[in-house]
Amino acid sequence: MESSGDERSLRDDEAERERLTRQMYSQLRYPSLDPQHKASYENHRLLIYRLLGIDPTTFFQGKIILDGGCGTGEETMFLASLGPEKVIGIDTSDGSLESARNRAKEAGIENVEFRHASVLDDKVFADGTFDYVSSLGCIHHTPRMRQAFDNLCRMVKPDGYLCTFLYNSFGHFLYNLECDWLDRVAGDDIDERIRLARRYLDWRRGTSFRREGIPSSWDARLFDKYAVLYRDSLTLKQLLGWYQEQGLEEVGSYPMRFGDMIAAYRAHSGDEMQSIRGVVARVLSPLATTSSGSRRWVWRRRVWMQSLLFLLGLYDYGGAFRVLAQKQAKE
Ligand SMILES: C[S@@+](CC[C@H](N)C(=O)[O-])C[C@H]1O[C@@H](n2cnc3c(N)ncnc32)[C@H](O)[C@@H]1O
């Protein structure tokens, strides 16, 4: 069937935006974490997996893993260090893949491989190829988040796991407003978006930014936030619905509980604990009981946490959430 002119033009717009996204992430390779902070990063990640309810030191052993949208490969390599048989990282940014390959080579990691492929490509791996699929911060930057999600689920083996980290519509309330404004005044012009973002939205200019508990480049944050042309988000309830429709049952979610948030806040405050954040973290410490497991958001708790984090200077911390779920084997 012939496609209409409108459909063709929508497809062309989409292809052009995907090209700009690839180009942007090839120039600004994300997250490009400084290897000097590897130990803090790994501690932070171990904590997060424990909060999701698994023991990361044994859970990944012998598994075949996919990291969908691996960027510069930090998580891919971290997973590779936890004893799996193999981890494959895929991404559409050649620049990021180049960094990832170089880092893996320098570190002498052998059970990892990086390939240029899209999370939207339903031919790239057969159904049920992986024991564990991880996709952190990627599919909300594609034009069809739901299609990408379904494709990730397809590649998980029965009894296997999918872990996603996705933008939270509620936590991203302010951010979504900022981006709506940028869309209106700058459209797809990435240079202009960044110019405006630096001028009007970069209100913590010059201060350090911590990502996953370690210092990261401020530019990385600015580009990843304001230059990407696709940035979808959803509520936890919607995401849990998607998992359910695909036959995956939630194992754990984060950040969900007050104690989890405080533990994360402590991790974000760094080891030195000397800043104002450090003092606040120390005062809050007794509230951070570390029992794992998940609890779904209830409205009051969500507003409470978001306000608290806003006051503590982590206004977008609840801006994304992580859900780990297991595929139920068919009877
Ligand atoms: C915000 S970065 C996240 C990187 C890494 N997973 C992390 O958590 O730091 C998003 C990544 O998704 C990649 N990406 C965007 N669209 C993609 C697609 N369709 N398939 C695979 N990767 C994609 C980008 O190139 C970029 O490296």
Side-chain angles (χ1 to χ4, degrees):
M1 202 167 56
E2 291 265 309
S3 56
S4 72
D6 281 355
E7 279 169 22
R8 258 199 314 274
S9 131
L10 268 178
R11 270 207 311 269
D12 290 349
D13 282 357
E14 187 176 298
E16 176 58 7
R17 290 178 144 205
E18 285 190 282
R19 189 189 67 77
L20 288 168
T21 305
R22 278 198 303 277
Q23 193 180 45
M24 195 281 279
Y25 277 119
S26 275
Q27 278 164 8
L28 190 113
R29 302 170 179 196
Y30 194 90
S32 288
L33 300 176
D34 184 346
Q36 182 195 327
H37 300 290
K38 188 166 170 275
S40 307
Y41 177 74
E42 293 186 352
N43 283 339
H44 190 262
R45 304 316 285 225
L46 289 170
L47 166 77
I48 288 177
Y49 285 116
R50 290 199 176 103
L51 292 171
L52 286 175
I54 59 172
D55 175 0
T57 58
T58 53
F59 180 83
F60 296 102
Q61 283 176 20
K63 289 195 165 45
I64 311 258
I65 298 178
L66 176 73
D67 187 3
C70 59
T72 47
E74 280 78 354
E75 184 70 12
T76 330
M77 287 183 272
F78 174 57
L79 290 171
S81 74
L82 296 169
E85 190 178 320
K86 176 149 200 165
V87 190
I88 300 179
I90 59 168
D91 204 283
T92 46
S93 149
D94 287 321
S96 297
L97 287 168
E98 183 189 62
S99 297
R101 287 187 190 114
N102 289 342
R103 285 189 179 201
K105 199 166 161 198
E106 273 161 29
I109 304 175
E110 290 187 347
N111 57 344
V112 77
E113 182 191 329
F114 293 100
R115 293 192 199 173
H116 182 117
S118 170
V119 288
L120 286 163
D121 183 347
D122 58 5
K123 304 274 181 309
V124 62
F125 295 108
D127 295 4
T129 303
F130 298 98
D131 299 298
Y132 183 89
V133 174
S134 169
S135 185
L136 311 182
C138 170
I139 62 171
H140 47 230
H141 293 315
T142 68
R144 279 160 275 117
M145 172 153 74
R146 178 67 204 252
Q147 188 184 320
F149 178 85
D150 290 349
N151 196 33
L152 294 173
C153 293
R154 180 188 68 74
M155 293 187 268
V156 179
K157 277 183 191 166
D159 284 332
Y161 296 82
L162 171 65
C163 183
T164 53
F165 180 59
L166 295 175
Y167 284 171
N168 172 0
S169 306
F170 291 120
H172 261 181
F173 180 71
L174 183 57
Y175 168 68
N176 286 342
L177 287 180
E178 292 170 337
C179 286
D180 289 350
W181 174 70
L182 284 174
D183 287 347
R184 196 170 278 260
V185 295
D188 290 356
D189 181 342
I190 288 181
D191 291 341
E192 180 63 0
R193 294 179 78 93
I194 290 298
R195 190 187 70 76
L196 291 170
R198 280 196 206 285
R199 181 143 186 208
Y200 298 108
L201 305 176
D202 188 7
W203 50 275
R204 287 196 295 183
R205 200 173 320 216
T207 56
S208 68
F209 153 58
R210 298 185 84 87
R211 184 189 182 276
E212 310 293 357
I214 65 169
S216 185
S217 125
W218 192 256
D219 258 12
R221 179 171 180 77
L222 214 64
F223 276 77
D224 184 55
K225 276 186 89 175
Y226 299 117
V228 276
L229 302 175
Y230 287 113
R231 358 145 263 281
D232 217 334
S233 62
L234 74 185
T235 65
L236 180 68
K237 195 169 165 206
Q238 285 169 322
L239 179 61
L240 292 175
W242 287 9
Y243 271 107
Q244 211 171 26
E245 282 165 37
Q246 284 290 342
L248 280 91
E249 202 166 283
E250 183 194 11
V251 176
S253 312
Y254 164 87
M256 290 299 108
R257 302 174 320 127
F258 186 72
D260 295 350
M261 299 293 265
I262 299 299
Y265 187 77
R266 273 166 45 193
H268 268 251
S269 305
D271 300 329
E272 68 281 7
M273 292 275 221
Q274 277 158 0
S275 57
I276 293 180
R277 254 186 214 186
V279 174
V280 175
R282 223 171 306 159
V283 172
L284 293 177
S285 278
L287 299 174
T289 50
T290 49
S291 64
S292 62
S294 71
R295 190 173 302 163
R296 298 185 184 192
W297 287 104
V298 288
W299 256 103
R300 215 156 11 121
R301 186 181 298 125
R302 186 198 296 277
V303 171
W304 218 101
M305 284 183 185
Q306 199 62 51
S307 320
L308 180 78
L309 290 165
F310 187 86
L311 289 173
L312 296 180
L314 272 174
Y315 83 98
D316 56 358
Y317 195 73
F321 43 66
R322 210 172 292 260
V323 175
L324 173 68
Q326 183 174 25
K327 196 180 235 183
Q328 303 305 296
K330 293 214 169 80
E331 313 255 298

